[in-house]
Every structure is written in C-alpha cells, then in structure tokens.
Amino acid sequence: MQAIAISQSVSAEELVIQDLPKPEINSDRQVLVRLKAAGINPLDIKIRQNKQGFPVEPQAILGCDGAGIVEQTGSAVTAFKPGDAVFFCHPGLNGRQGTYAEYALVDQAVLAPKPEVLSFTQAAAIPLVLITAWEALFDRASLQSGNRVLVEAGAGGVGHIAVQLAVKAGARVATTVGSQQKADYLKQLGAEKIIFYRDQDVVDEIMQWTGQTGVDIAFDTIGDEVLQRCLSSTRCYGDVVTILTPTAETDWSEARLKNIRFSQELMLTPFFLNDHETMQHQSDILKKCTEDFNQSRLSVKVAKVFQLEHAGLAHQYLEQQVPIGKVVLEIN
C-alpha cells in the first residue's frame, strides 16, 4: 500500500509516498479500513519534527483522523461489516498505525459510522477536534445551558466545533478572531460576542459582556499568554480548560484567588495509556454527534484539500497559514 511514513524527524519537504505492506488482521477485535481521506492535525507536524519524542514505530505512518470503508473484520467484531462507511481517530502511537495511508488496521472500539450526509473528506476532518472540544466542554467543564463561554481562536479546527457544541447546548458564546472573514463565519455558527484580539483587549471585552463577572467557562486552544487571559476572563468558581501545556511563566495567583477549577484536555490519553474503555467513550462521542451532522445541527469546515502524495505541501500550508477549519488529505 502507499503511505506517508518517516523513520526519523524530517522537514515537510521530505515527506514522500512509500510502498509498505498492506496490514493484516491479527486480532479478533481488529478492523481493516480502506481509507478515503485523512485529517491533518498539529500533532502530525509535531511527530514529523520530533519523532524521537513520541512512542511511535521505527517506520511511523503519520496521521490521526481517518474516514473510509470497512474491508475486513476480525471474528469478534459485531458492530461493523465489510462495506460500512466509518470515521475515527487512531493516532500512530504505541504500536498503532496512523492514517496517511491507503489502509489502516484499527480496533473496533475507535470506529463510528460516518454521517451519511458528509463526504469522506468532510468526515475525516472531524474526529480529533470533535472529541477534544466535547471532552473539554462537557467532560472537563460540565457545560450547562445558559453558561457564558469563551472559546479562544473560534475559527480554528477545535474552535469552530467547540463554538457549535456550546451554542447547541444553549450556551452564550464569545470568541476571539483575527479577521473579519472569521468573524462573519463564527456569527453564522451562533457566536454572540466576537472579539478582534489584535485590536481589542480580550479581558476588558469579556468583562463588559458579562457585567464585570467573567465567563463561566474559558476554553484555551492556543496556550501561553492566551491561557493567562483566560484565567483573567473567568468568574469566581468558574472553569478554565486548556489543550496546551502551561508554561513555567504562568501566573496562577488570580486563579487561586478566584478558586477557578483548571483542567487539561488531551484526547490522546487513551492511546498513550492503552485505555480501551476511554477509546470506546471517544467513539461514543462521534456516534452521539452523527445525527447532529446529518440534521445540519453541526457542520465541519474544510479549509483546503491535498492529495496523499502532497502531504508535505499540506504540512507547509498548515504551518504557514491560519485557516478556517481543517486541512484534509484525500486518498485515491
């Protein structure tokens, strides 16, 4: 099969198609999927740049998100059969294979039926960002209807899904943007308060919007100084969730004073720890949201599409641009 794999840390320009053996089922819970598309995430770039820093195979196939058609199943697989259209997140960690390939061998626990109204390209853009946003808002922060929520970088991959999930749950959403195009897009998704972070003071804008109390939940998708302003933008006894690692320079004094509950969100945890129960929980999230995509209550924005053989160009694009939504590889 054709795949994008690395044996050492490389530049984007060095990503090339390789011919690798087609994977074979060796466990009764495994499913062989013929991939049609693979989503690109910042993690893929981090692994490419620092392969030795991750628990990946000597010949590591990149990619986390995939969508395709079931080709073969193990003897214990009952929920899926050959011909089923599926989507999933399956990062190439701890002996697993990534999704920049014609085929992927995955555990049935990670699979979910593809939303019928979405193309494989659209479906491949969803899993990691949807799971991340859902876990951050509902599993970590226990979002409730009526909450005021700040989503940093609302037009990004995780951000544009988080805005929609919060609005659908009955929350009032504020978000930060860097352009009018992104502001217009997020207004269409239901964001109530748009803040142009380059020209406006985010904390001041949030305090005016909330009557000087702060938001119930702040979701940081950027890190560093953005996490700091999330802490300043959140009310007493509120929640701050980040998907980045706090730095040594983070000042926790305000969070301590306001008794803010701080959480970290890493949807890769079950793959680092081989936690099959949580893998199943994550696929359940995908299944819960499938009907929302089918009924247009949720949508996904694909910013740009590349062919598998142009994965290097796709990485360069994502490194150089800040697109609305996700970048996807199509696999023909």
Side-chain angles (χ1 to χ4, degrees):
M1 71 171 180
Q2 292 191 319
I4 300 290
I6 59 173
S7 56
Q8 60 185 5
S9 300
V10 297
S11 65
E13 294 85 350
E14 295 175 279
L15 290 180
V16 295
I17 286 279
Q18 300 185 38
D19 286 317
L20 298 177
K22 179 180 175 181
E24 297 181 357
I25 288 178
N26 53 42
S27 164
D28 59 6
R29 292 174 50 86
Q30 287 181 328
V31 176
L32 181 65
V33 179
R34 183 178 181 88
L35 288 160
K36 297 292 188 180
I40 295 182
N41 294 287
L43 174 68
D44 308 342
I45 295 173
K46 292 177 182 177
I47 292 175
R48 171 178 60 75
Q49 294 174 332
N50 181 30
K51 178 178 181 289
Q52 64 274 17
F54 293 87
V56 297
E57 293 290 280
Q59 187 81 335
I61 296 176
L62 298 176
C64 299
D65 289 330
I69 298 173
V70 173
E71 181 156 305
Q72 186 180 356
T73 62
S75 59
V77 176
T78 58
F80 300 95
K81 64 184 186 303
D84 286 347
V86 295
F87 72 138
F88 58 93
C89 183
H90 190 261
L93 302 172
N94 289 327
R96 297 175 183 86
Q97 177 203 311
T99 56
Y100 291 11
E102 290 183 297
Y103 293 90
L105 194 60
V106 302
D107 190 288
Q108 66 172 338
V110 308
L111 290 176
K114 181 185 74 69
E116 295 176 359
V117 302
L118 300 184
S119 68
F120 287 102
T121 300
Q122 291 171 312
I126 292 170
L128 185 145
V129 295
L130 173 60
I131 293 167
T132 297
W134 179 285
E135 289 187 342
L137 294 175
F138 299 109
D139 294 350
R140 306 288 166 263
S142 301
L143 183 147
Q144 302 292 320
S145 177
N147 283 165
R148 290 189 189 233
V149 180
L150 167 63
V151 177
E152 291 281 4
V158 173
H160 85 291
I161 297 295
V163 167
Q164 294 179 76
L165 288 175
V167 169
K168 190 173 86 68
R172 300 174 64 183
V173 177
T175 189
T176 56
V177 300
S179 71
Q180 187 62 51
Q181 181 187 16
K182 292 179 178 179
D184 293 342
Y185 173 66
L186 290 168
K187 286 178 183 177
Q188 293 175 7
L189 295 185
E192 176 180 328
K193 174 71 174 178
I194 306 293
I195 304 171
F196 291 86
Y197 68 88
R198 292 192 181 99
D199 305 316
Q200 298 175 290
D201 186 297
V202 174
V203 178
D204 284 351
E205 292 294 323
I206 288 295
M207 288 302 164
Q208 291 179 34
W209 183 56
T210 61
Q212 304 303 314
T213 60
V215 294
D216 300 288
I217 299 168
F219 183 23
D220 166 36
T221 66
I222 303 297
D224 296 334
E225 69 276 4
V226 174
L227 171 58
Q228 198 70 63
R229 77 184 184 208
C230 280
L231 295 172
S232 299
S233 300
T234 302
R235 66 170 176 82
C236 291
Y237 306 103
D239 282 273
V240 172
V241 185
T242 185
I243 62 173
L244 284 304
T245 302
T247 66
E249 288 72 38
T250 302
D251 181 357
W252 298 101
S253 58
E254 188 172 12
R256 172 62 175 163
L257 177 65
K258 295 194 291 186
N259 217 356
I260 287 172
R261 181 169 58 180
F262 173 73
S263 303
Q264 299 184 81
E265 165 57 29
L266 179 64
M267 69 77 54
L268 300 170
T269 294
F271 298 97
F272 279 116
L273 303 181
N274 293 315
D275 180 353
H276 284 268
E277 183 177 348
T278 306
M279 290 179 200
Q280 184 65 62
H281 169 65
Q282 293 184 340
S283 71
D284 288 343
I285 292 170
L286 299 181
K287 294 169 186 174
K288 286 177 184 177
C289 294
T290 291
E291 191 60 23
D292 289 318
F293 284 105
N294 283 334
Q295 297 299 324
S296 300
R297 292 189 291 264
L298 290 175
S299 64
V300 62
K301 179 71 171 179
V302 176
K304 197 169 180 65
V305 177
F306 294 83
Q307 297 302 306
L308 179 63
E309 60 268 27
H310 297 144
L313 293 176
H315 276 221
Q316 287 179 311
Y317 175 82
L318 192 56
E319 288 178 298
Q320 296 167 4
Q321 306 295 325
V322 187
I324 299 175
K326 294 291 298 296
V327 179
V328 181
L329 296 176
E330 289 185 339
I331 303 167
N332 297 315

